[in-house]
Amino acid sequence: MAVFGGRRREENPDLPPGQHLTDGFPVLSAGPTPQIETEDWAFVIRTETGVTHRWSWDELLALPSEDITVDIHCVTSWSKLGTGWRGVSLDTLFADVETSLEFVMVHSYGGYTTNLPLEEILDGKAWVAYEYDGDALDPEHGGPARLLVPHLYFWKSAKWVRGLVMQNDDEPGFWEENGYNLHGDPWREERYA
Ligand SMILES: Nc1nc2c(c(=O)[nH]1)N[C@H]1C(S)=C(S)[C@@H](COP(=O)(O)O)O[C@H]1N2
Ligand SMILES: [Mo]
Protein backbone atom coordinates (compact mmCIF):
# COMPACT_ATOMS: atom_id res chain seq x y z
CA MET A 1 0.00 0.00 0.00
CA ALA A 2 1.35 3.38 -0.96
CA VAL A 3 2.14 5.73 1.88
CA PHE A 4 1.40 9.25 0.74
CA GLY A 5 3.72 11.89 2.08
CA GLY A 6 6.80 9.94 1.17
CA ARG A 7 9.19 8.03 3.41
CA ARG A 8 8.24 7.80 7.05
CA ARG A 9 10.68 9.96 8.90
CA GLU A 10 11.39 9.45 12.55
CA GLU A 11 8.49 11.31 14.08
CA ASN A 12 9.60 11.30 17.68
CA PRO A 13 8.65 14.75 19.02
CA ASP A 14 11.77 14.73 21.18
CA LEU A 15 13.95 14.65 18.07
CA PRO A 16 15.02 18.09 16.74
CA PRO A 17 14.89 18.67 12.98
CA GLY A 18 17.53 16.85 10.95
CA GLN A 19 18.50 14.52 13.81
CA HIS A 20 18.29 10.73 14.06
CA LEU A 21 18.33 8.48 17.12
CA THR A 22 21.34 6.49 18.23
CA ASP A 23 21.43 3.82 20.91
CA GLY A 24 25.21 3.90 21.17
CA PHE A 25 27.27 6.67 22.69
CA PRO A 26 29.66 7.92 19.98
CA VAL A 27 32.92 9.55 21.08
CA LEU A 28 33.74 12.83 19.36
CA SER A 29 37.00 14.47 20.38
CA ALA A 30 39.08 16.98 18.45
CA GLY A 31 42.28 15.66 20.01
CA PRO A 32 43.65 12.99 22.34
CA THR A 33 41.94 12.21 25.65
CA PRO A 34 43.82 14.01 28.42
CA GLN A 35 44.52 11.88 31.49
CA ILE A 36 43.69 13.96 34.56
CA GLU A 37 44.08 12.55 38.06
CA THR A 38 41.37 13.81 40.37
CA GLU A 39 44.00 15.00 42.88
CA ASP A 40 45.38 17.29 40.17
CA TRP A 41 41.93 18.39 38.98
CA ALA A 42 40.38 21.77 39.80
CA PHE A 43 37.52 23.83 38.45
CA VAL A 44 37.70 27.62 38.43
CA ILE A 45 35.45 30.55 37.58
CA ARG A 46 37.32 33.80 36.90
CA THR A 47 35.60 37.16 36.78
CA GLU A 48 36.43 40.63 35.48
CA THR A 49 37.61 41.73 38.93
CA GLY A 50 40.36 39.12 38.83
CA VAL A 51 38.67 37.03 41.52
CA THR A 52 39.07 33.29 40.96
CA HIS A 53 36.60 30.89 42.54
CA ARG A 54 38.20 27.46 42.77
CA TRP A 55 36.98 23.97 43.65
CA SER A 56 39.20 20.94 44.13
CA TRP A 57 37.78 17.53 43.24
CA ASP A 58 36.80 16.86 46.87
CA GLU A 59 35.21 20.29 47.13
CA LEU A 60 33.18 19.66 43.97
CA LEU A 61 31.93 16.31 45.31
CA ALA A 62 30.99 17.97 48.61
CA LEU A 63 28.57 20.33 46.84
CA PRO A 64 24.91 19.39 46.43
CA SER A 65 24.55 17.28 43.30
CA GLU A 66 21.62 16.46 41.05
CA ASP A 67 20.54 13.49 38.99
CA ILE A 68 19.85 14.73 35.50
CA THR A 69 18.01 12.88 32.73
CA VAL A 70 18.26 14.71 29.43
CA ASP A 71 18.34 14.30 25.67
CA ILE A 72 21.62 15.17 23.91
CA HIS A 73 22.00 16.31 20.30
CA CYS A 74 25.24 16.26 18.33
CA VAL A 75 25.55 18.60 15.36
CA THR A 76 26.76 15.63 13.26
CA SER A 77 23.06 14.59 13.54
CA TRP A 78 22.86 11.88 16.20
CA SER A 79 20.66 12.36 19.20
CA LYS A 80 20.46 10.21 22.30
CA LEU A 81 17.35 10.43 24.43
CA GLY A 82 17.05 9.98 28.17
CA THR A 83 20.74 10.02 29.12
CA GLY A 84 21.41 9.92 32.87
CA TRP A 85 24.04 12.03 34.58
CA ARG A 86 25.03 13.23 38.03
CA GLY A 87 26.64 16.56 38.61
CA VAL A 88 26.63 20.00 40.19
CA SER A 89 24.38 22.72 38.82
CA LEU A 90 26.09 25.84 37.50
CA ASP A 91 23.62 27.74 39.70
CA THR A 92 25.39 26.24 42.72
CA LEU A 93 28.83 27.11 41.35
CA PHE A 94 27.77 30.69 40.53
CA ALA A 95 26.04 31.27 43.89
CA ASP A 96 28.87 33.46 45.24
CA VAL A 97 30.19 34.76 41.91
CA GLU A 98 29.72 38.47 41.32
CA THR A 99 29.96 39.57 37.71
CA SER A 100 28.31 42.06 35.42
CA LEU A 101 29.55 40.33 32.26
CA GLU A 102 27.09 38.32 30.16
CA PHE A 103 29.31 35.77 28.39
CA VAL A 104 31.60 32.93 29.35
CA MET A 105 34.43 31.12 27.64
CA VAL A 106 34.62 27.51 28.74
CA HIS A 107 38.14 26.05 28.94
CA SER A 108 39.05 22.37 28.97
CA TYR A 109 42.14 20.42 29.88
CA GLY A 110 43.76 19.81 26.50
CA GLY A 111 42.95 23.29 25.20
CA TYR A 112 39.37 22.98 23.86
CA THR A 113 37.20 26.06 24.30
CA THR A 114 33.57 26.93 23.68
CA ASN A 115 31.60 30.15 24.20
CA LEU A 116 28.24 30.57 25.90
CA PRO A 117 25.98 33.39 27.06
CA LEU A 118 25.84 33.25 30.88
CA GLU A 119 22.04 33.01 30.77
CA GLU A 120 22.34 29.73 28.81
CA ILE A 121 24.06 28.01 31.72
CA LEU A 122 22.04 29.37 34.69
CA ASP A 123 18.51 28.60 35.94
CA GLY A 124 18.88 24.82 35.83
CA LYS A 125 20.22 24.61 32.28
CA ALA A 126 23.80 23.36 32.83
CA TRP A 127 25.90 21.18 35.11
CA VAL A 128 29.45 20.06 35.77
CA ALA A 129 28.77 16.34 35.39
CA TYR A 130 30.98 13.61 36.84
CA GLU A 131 28.82 10.49 36.52
CA TYR A 132 27.16 8.93 33.51
CA ASP A 133 24.62 6.11 33.81
CA GLY A 134 25.54 5.57 37.47
CA ASP A 135 29.28 5.25 36.95
CA ALA A 136 32.25 7.61 37.09
CA LEU A 137 32.40 9.50 33.80
CA ASP A 138 34.59 7.66 31.31
CA PRO A 139 37.73 9.64 30.29
CA GLU A 140 36.78 9.46 26.60
CA HIS A 141 33.42 11.09 27.46
CA GLY A 142 35.11 13.85 29.45
CA GLY A 143 35.99 12.35 32.82
CA PRO A 144 36.78 13.30 35.49
CA ALA A 145 34.14 15.97 34.71
CA ARG A 146 32.53 17.70 31.77
CA LEU A 147 30.16 20.54 31.21
CA LEU A 148 26.62 19.41 30.37
CA VAL A 149 24.50 21.94 28.46
CA PRO A 150 21.93 19.61 26.93
CA HIS A 151 19.58 22.19 25.41
CA LEU A 152 22.34 23.26 22.99
CA TYR A 153 24.25 21.08 20.48
CA PHE A 154 26.63 18.79 22.32
CA TRP A 155 29.81 20.57 21.21
CA LYS A 156 28.93 23.15 23.91
CA SER A 157 29.24 20.41 26.54
CA ALA A 158 33.00 20.72 26.99
CA LYS A 159 34.69 17.51 28.07
CA TRP A 160 37.53 17.63 30.67
CA VAL A 161 36.24 21.02 31.76
CA ARG A 162 38.66 23.05 33.86
CA GLY A 163 36.98 26.41 34.17
CA LEU A 164 34.96 29.36 32.97
CA VAL A 165 36.25 32.86 32.26
CA MET A 166 33.73 35.69 32.23
CA GLN A 167 33.86 37.61 28.94
CA ASN A 168 32.75 41.03 27.67
CA ASP A 169 31.70 39.61 24.32
CA ASP A 170 30.48 36.37 22.75
CA GLU A 171 33.88 35.50 21.29
CA PRO A 172 34.04 32.20 19.39
CA GLY A 173 35.55 29.08 20.94
CA PHE A 174 37.26 26.23 19.10
CA TRP A 175 34.46 24.90 16.88
CA GLU A 176 32.79 28.30 16.60
CA GLU A 177 36.02 29.64 15.08
CA ASN A 178 35.89 26.72 12.66
CA GLY A 179 32.45 27.44 11.26
CA TYR A 180 30.02 26.24 13.90
CA ASN A 181 27.21 28.53 15.01
CA LEU A 182 27.95 30.89 17.92
CA HIS A 183 24.81 29.74 19.76
CA GLY A 184 23.87 26.19 18.67
CA ASP A 185 20.16 25.66 19.43
CA PRO A 186 19.23 22.24 17.93
CA TRP A 187 15.52 23.13 17.73
CA ARG A 188 16.38 26.04 15.44
CA GLU A 189 19.05 24.04 13.60
CA GLU A 190 21.75 26.55 14.51
CA ARG A 191 24.45 24.24 13.19
CA TYR A 192 26.87 26.41 11.24
CA ALA A 193 27.69 30.09 11.08
N1 LIG B 1 37.29 19.10 25.47
C1 LIG B 1 36.49 18.73 24.47
N2 LIG B 1 35.17 18.76 24.66
C2 LIG B 1 34.33 18.40 23.67
C3 LIG B 1 34.82 18.01 22.41
C4 LIG B 1 36.23 18.00 22.23
O1 LIG B 1 36.74 17.67 21.15
N3 LIG B 1 37.03 18.36 23.29
N4 LIG B 1 33.97 17.66 21.40
C5 LIG B 1 32.61 18.20 21.51
C6 LIG B 1 31.72 17.59 20.55
S1 LIG B 1 31.81 18.14 18.95
C7 LIG B 1 30.77 16.69 20.92
S2 LIG B 1 29.59 16.12 19.85
C8 LIG B 1 30.77 16.13 22.29
C9 LIG B 1 30.93 14.64 22.21
O2 LIG B 1 30.89 14.09 23.50
P1 LIG B 1 31.08 12.53 23.63
O3 LIG B 1 32.40 12.17 23.03
O4 LIG B 1 30.96 12.24 25.09
O5 LIG B 1 29.94 11.91 22.83
O6 LIG B 1 31.78 16.66 23.12
C10 LIG B 1 32.06 18.02 22.91
N5 LIG B 1 33.00 18.43 23.91
MO1 LIG C 1 29.87 17.32 17.89
Side-chain angles (χ1 to χ4, degrees):
M1 189 194 224
V3 177
F4 294 99
R7 286 167 298 135
R8 274 188 80 79
R9 289 194 61 248
E10 288 178 279
E11 284 166 10
N12 190 321
D14 295 328
L15 209 49
Q19 297 291 111
H20 67 268
L21 291 174
T22 182
D23 289 328
F25 194 172
V27 172
L28 282 101
S29 304
T33 296
Q35 302 294 327
I36 308 128
E37 303 298 328
T38 51
E39 54 261 39
D40 300 325
W41 185 93
F43 180 78
V44 302
I45 299 176
R46 197 167 80 218
T47 73
E48 66 272 28
T49 63
V51 173
T52 299
H53 303 257
R54 183 184 184 279
W55 295 266
S56 69
W57 183 252
D58 289 342
E59 288 166 340
L60 182 82
L61 295 196
L63 294 173
S65 64
E66 298 176 7
D67 284 314
I68 310 128
T69 301
V70 288
D71 305 337
I72 54 178
H73 310 290
C74 175
V75 71
T76 61
S77 89
W78 58 265
S79 290
K80 190 168 174 59
L81 305 185
T83 61
W85 307 79
R86 186 171 194 82
V88 175
S89 171
L90 267 288
D91 296 321
T92 301
L93 294 163
F94 269 91
D96 297 324
V97 175
E98 288 184 20
T99 181
S100 58
L101 302 186
E102 291 175 13
F103 301 98
V104 302
M105 186 67 81
V106 185
H107 293 261
S108 292
Y109 292 96
Y112 185 84
T113 54
T114 190
N115 57 294
L116 288 156
L118 181 57
E119 65 175 4
E120 297 284 5
I121 59 172
L122 297 181
D123 295 325
K125 293 198 285 282
W127 296 266
V128 171
Y130 50 77
E131 283 183 19
Y132 175 77
D133 208 10
D135 288 316
L137 185 57
D138 210 310
E140 63 186 4
H141 287 299
R146 76 182 296 163
L147 197 66
L148 179 64
V149 194
H151 72 290
L152 298 176
Y153 281 123
F154 210 33
W155 87 76
K156 296 290 185 181
S157 294
K159 304 196 279 190
W160 317 296
V161 68
R162 69 181 304 177
L164 310 179
V165 177
M166 297 308 306
Q167 302 271 117
N168 274 306
D169 302 304
D170 201 15
E171 283 164 30
F174 173 77
W175 279 119
E176 296 83 2
E177 272 190 342
N178 286 281
Y180 283 18
N181 190 273
L182 272 186
H183 183 233
D185 180 346
W187 294 96
R188 296 161 69 179
E189 284 212 83
E190 294 172 344
R191 295 176 191 273
Y192 306 108

Short mmCIF file of all heavy atoms in Angstrom, two decimals, residues 66 88-96 121-126:
data_model
loop_
_atom_site.label_atom_id
_atom_site.label_comp_id
_atom_site.label_asym_id
_atom_site.label_seq_id
_atom_site.Cartn_x
_atom_site.Cartn_y
_atom_site.Cartn_z
N GLU A 66 22.94 16.77 41.60
CA GLU A 66 21.62 16.46 41.05
C GLU A 66 21.74 15.29 40.09
O GLU A 66 22.74 15.14 39.40
CB GLU A 66 21.07 17.68 40.28
CG GLU A 66 20.88 18.90 41.16
CD GLU A 66 20.45 20.14 40.38
OE1 GLU A 66 20.16 20.04 39.17
OE2 GLU A 66 20.40 21.22 41.02
N VAL A 88 26.92 18.80 39.40
CA VAL A 88 26.63 20.00 40.19
C VAL A 88 26.10 21.08 39.26
O VAL A 88 26.71 21.35 38.22
CB VAL A 88 27.90 20.49 40.92
CG1 VAL A 88 27.63 21.80 41.65
CG2 VAL A 88 28.41 19.42 41.88
N SER A 89 24.98 21.66 39.63
CA SER A 89 24.38 22.72 38.82
C SER A 89 25.30 23.94 38.76
O SER A 89 25.94 24.31 39.76
CB SER A 89 23.03 23.13 39.44
OG SER A 89 22.55 24.29 38.81
N LEU A 90 25.34 24.59 37.61
CA LEU A 90 26.09 25.84 37.50
C LEU A 90 25.51 26.91 38.42
O LEU A 90 26.22 27.82 38.85
CB LEU A 90 26.14 26.32 36.05
CG LEU A 90 27.35 25.89 35.21
CD1 LEU A 90 28.60 26.62 35.65
CD2 LEU A 90 27.58 24.39 35.25
N ASP A 91 24.22 26.79 38.74
CA ASP A 91 23.62 27.74 39.70
C ASP A 91 24.33 27.65 41.05
O ASP A 91 24.57 28.67 41.70
CB ASP A 91 22.13 27.43 39.90
CG ASP A 91 21.33 27.64 38.63
OD1 ASP A 91 21.61 28.62 37.91
OD2 ASP A 91 20.43 26.82 38.36
N THR A 92 24.66 26.44 41.46
CA THR A 92 25.39 26.24 42.72
C THR A 92 26.78 26.85 42.63
O THR A 92 27.24 27.53 43.54
CB THR A 92 25.48 24.73 43.03
OG1 THR A 92 24.15 24.21 43.10
CG2 THR A 92 26.21 24.46 44.32
N LEU A 93 27.46 26.62 41.50
CA LEU A 93 28.83 27.11 41.35
C LEU A 93 28.87 28.64 41.24
O LEU A 93 29.84 29.28 41.65
CB LEU A 93 29.49 26.45 40.14
CG LEU A 93 29.69 24.94 40.32
CD1 LEU A 93 29.94 24.25 38.98
CD2 LEU A 93 30.83 24.65 41.29
N PHE A 94 27.81 29.23 40.70
CA PHE A 94 27.77 30.69 40.53
C PHE A 94 27.16 31.41 41.74
O PHE A 94 27.06 32.64 41.73
CB PHE A 94 27.00 31.07 39.26
CG PHE A 94 27.89 31.20 38.05
CD1 PHE A 94 28.13 30.12 37.22
CD2 PHE A 94 28.51 32.41 37.74
CE1 PHE A 94 28.96 30.23 36.11
CE2 PHE A 94 29.34 32.55 36.64
CZ PHE A 94 29.57 31.45 35.82
N ALA A 95 26.77 30.66 42.77
CA ALA A 95 26.04 31.27 43.89
C ALA A 95 26.78 32.47 44.49
O ALA A 95 26.16 33.48 44.83
CB ALA A 95 25.76 30.22 44.96
N ASP A 96 28.10 32.38 44.62
CA ASP A 96 28.87 33.46 45.24
C ASP A 96 29.69 34.26 44.22
O ASP A 96 30.57 35.02 44.61
CB ASP A 96 29.81 32.89 46.30
CG ASP A 96 29.04 32.24 47.44
OD1 ASP A 96 27.96 32.75 47.79
OD2 ASP A 96 29.51 31.21 47.96
N ILE A 121 23.57 29.05 30.81
CA ILE A 121 24.06 28.01 31.72
C ILE A 121 23.52 28.18 33.14
O ILE A 121 23.87 27.41 34.03
CB ILE A 121 25.61 27.94 31.74
CG1 ILE A 121 26.24 29.26 32.16
CG2 ILE A 121 26.13 27.49 30.38
CD1 ILE A 121 27.75 29.17 32.38
N LEU A 122 22.66 29.19 33.36
CA LEU A 122 22.04 29.37 34.69
C LEU A 122 20.58 28.92 34.65
O LEU A 122 20.07 28.51 33.60
CB LEU A 122 22.16 30.83 35.12
CG LEU A 122 23.60 31.34 35.31
CD1 LEU A 122 23.60 32.79 35.77
CD2 LEU A 122 24.39 30.47 36.29
N ASP A 123 19.94 28.98 35.82
CA ASP A 123 18.51 28.60 35.94
C ASP A 123 18.26 27.14 35.53
O ASP A 123 17.33 26.85 34.76
CB ASP A 123 17.62 29.54 35.13
CG ASP A 123 17.67 30.97 35.68
OD1 ASP A 123 17.77 31.12 36.91
OD2 ASP A 123 17.62 31.92 34.87
N GLY A 124 19.13 26.26 36.02
CA GLY A 124 18.88 24.82 35.83
C GLY A 124 19.14 24.31 34.43
O GLY A 124 18.60 23.27 34.05
N LYS A 125 19.99 25.02 33.66
CA LYS A 125 20.22 24.61 32.28
C LYS A 125 21.57 23.94 32.05
O LYS A 125 21.83 23.47 30.94
CB LYS A 125 20.08 25.83 31.35
CG LYS A 125 18.65 26.36 31.28
CD LYS A 125 18.41 27.24 30.07
CE LYS A 125 19.04 28.62 30.19
NZ LYS A 125 18.26 29.54 31.02
N ALA A 126 22.46 23.93 33.06
CA ALA A 126 23.80 23.36 32.83
C ALA A 126 24.40 22.83 34.13
O ALA A 126 24.09 23.32 35.22
CB ALA A 126 24.72 24.41 32.21
#
